[in-house]
């Protein structure tokens, strides 16, 4: 096909199928702007690859398949983001519940008892050096994960891992003192 034929075909498809394509994408994305973007991307993909598609017999159907695949990619990304948001929300709800439970069970005289402090120190001493150092930077020095990541040349995810590892060890060792533990570390956490 020569260039004029491609342009004529593309203009025909754009004029006669674009709105149908958008309705199709919208029926899955429920977002008009996203649907329009996906259709525009799919039409651009077709246009950029038009010279490689000589064996494709039904171009409008081919473009619809591209749109379908882009919709699938979009929905899978949305599902991933929704899962992340749900996990963050459930973690925040868990933390709030733990704070409520901690305050309800709080015995102020036990908060700074030598026994609890000794158990905390012994547990921290058992941790690998990197985990202990990152935990202390986070909870005792009040540094953000981003700051710790920069200072230790680690990713924020690695910092989160080390803090979680330390908290898990403390929870295990101090399960009988959990209210005190939460108070002590939430007090120092910013």
């Amino acid at each position: 096909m020569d260039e004029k034929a491609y342009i004529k075909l593309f203009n025909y498809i754009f004029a006669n199928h674009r709105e149908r394509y958008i309705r199709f994408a919208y029926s899955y994305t429920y977002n008009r702007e996203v649907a329009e973007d996906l259709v525009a991307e799919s039409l651009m993909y077709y246009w950029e690859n038009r010279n490689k598609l000589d064996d494709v017999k039904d171009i409008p159907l081919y473009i619809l398949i591209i749109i379908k695949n882009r919709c699938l990619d979009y929905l899978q990304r949305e599902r991933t983001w929704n899962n992340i948001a749900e996990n963050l929300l459930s973690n925040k709800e868990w933390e709030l519940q733990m704070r409520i439970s901690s305050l309800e069970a709080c015995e102020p005289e036990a908060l700074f008892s030598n026994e609890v402090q000794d158990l905390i120190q012994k547990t921290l001493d058992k941790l690998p050096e990197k985990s202990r150092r990152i935990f202390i930077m986070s909870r005792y020095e009040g540094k953000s994960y981003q700051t710790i990541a920069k200072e230790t040349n680690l990713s924020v995810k690695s910092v989160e891992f080390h803090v979680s590892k330390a908290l898990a060890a403390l929870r295990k060792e101090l399960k009988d003192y959990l209210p005190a533990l939460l108070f002590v570390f939430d007090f120092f956490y910013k």
Side-chain angles (χ1 to χ4, degrees), residues 16-183:
N16 293 303
H17 294 283
R18 181 177 173 272
E19 193 57 38
R20 278 188 233 159
Y21 290 154
I22 291 171
R23 283 194 308 269
F24 174 81
Y26 177 80
S27 71
Y28 292 100
T29 63
Y30 297 134
N31 184 318
R32 175 81 184 186
E33 289 178 9
V34 169
E36 288 174 356
D37 288 346
L38 294 175
V39 169
E41 290 170 13
S42 300
L43 288 168
M44 285 187 331
Y45 178 84
Y46 161 71
W47 182 254
E48 290 168 355
N49 293 286
R50 67 190 179 277
N51 295 324
K52 301 174 193 169
L53 304 173
D54 290 333
D55 58 332
V56 175
K57 302 296 181 220
D58 189 344
I59 299 297
L61 177 61
Y62 177 78
I63 294 171
L64 185 61
I65 292 169
I66 296 170
I67 295 167
K68 172 198 148 198
N69 290 330
R70 293 196 183 248
C71 286
L72 279 171
D73 291 344
Y74 170 80
L75 292 173
Q76 289 168 344
R77 281 191 310 272
E78 283 295 301
R79 180 175 53 195
T80 300
W81 282 113
N82 286 342
N83 288 342
I84 290 170
E86 285 175 19
N87 286 339
L88 289 174
L89 182 60
S90 68
N91 287 340
K92 286 189 182 280
E93 288 174 10
W94 177 84
E95 182 182 352
L96 179 59
Q97 184 57 45
M98 291 306 298
R99 287 180 181 196
I100 291 169
S101 298
S102 172
L103 191 55
E104 289 173 347
C106 179
E107 294 181 28
E109 64 275 359
L111 289 178
F112 292 104
S113 73
N114 288 336
E115 183 180 354
V116 171
Q117 293 300 325
D118 289 343
L119 283 171
I120 291 171
Q121 190 58 51
K122 285 178 185 175
T123 303
L124 291 177
D125 289 342
K126 292 178 190 176
L127 292 172
E129 175 61 31
K130 188 181 285 186
S131 295
R132 179 175 52 251
R133 192 176 93 218
I134 289 171
F135 182 80
I136 289 170
M137 291 170 80
S138 171
R139 294 308 198 259
Y140 286 107
E141 297 173 13
K143 295 181 179 180
S144 71
Y145 288 174
Q146 290 81 9
T147 301
I148 296 169
K150 286 180 186 173
E151 289 180 16
T152 59
N153 292 322
L154 295 172
S155 69
V156 173
K157 287 284 182 199
S158 293
V159 171
E160 290 173 0
F161 167 78
H162 287 289
V163 171
S164 294
K165 184 177 179 179
L167 285 172
L170 286 166
R171 274 189 214 104
K172 181 181 175 192
E173 293 294 323
L174 301 169
K175 62 183 178 279
D176 296 332
Y177 298 94
L178 189 57
L181 172 71
L182 288 175
F183 174 79

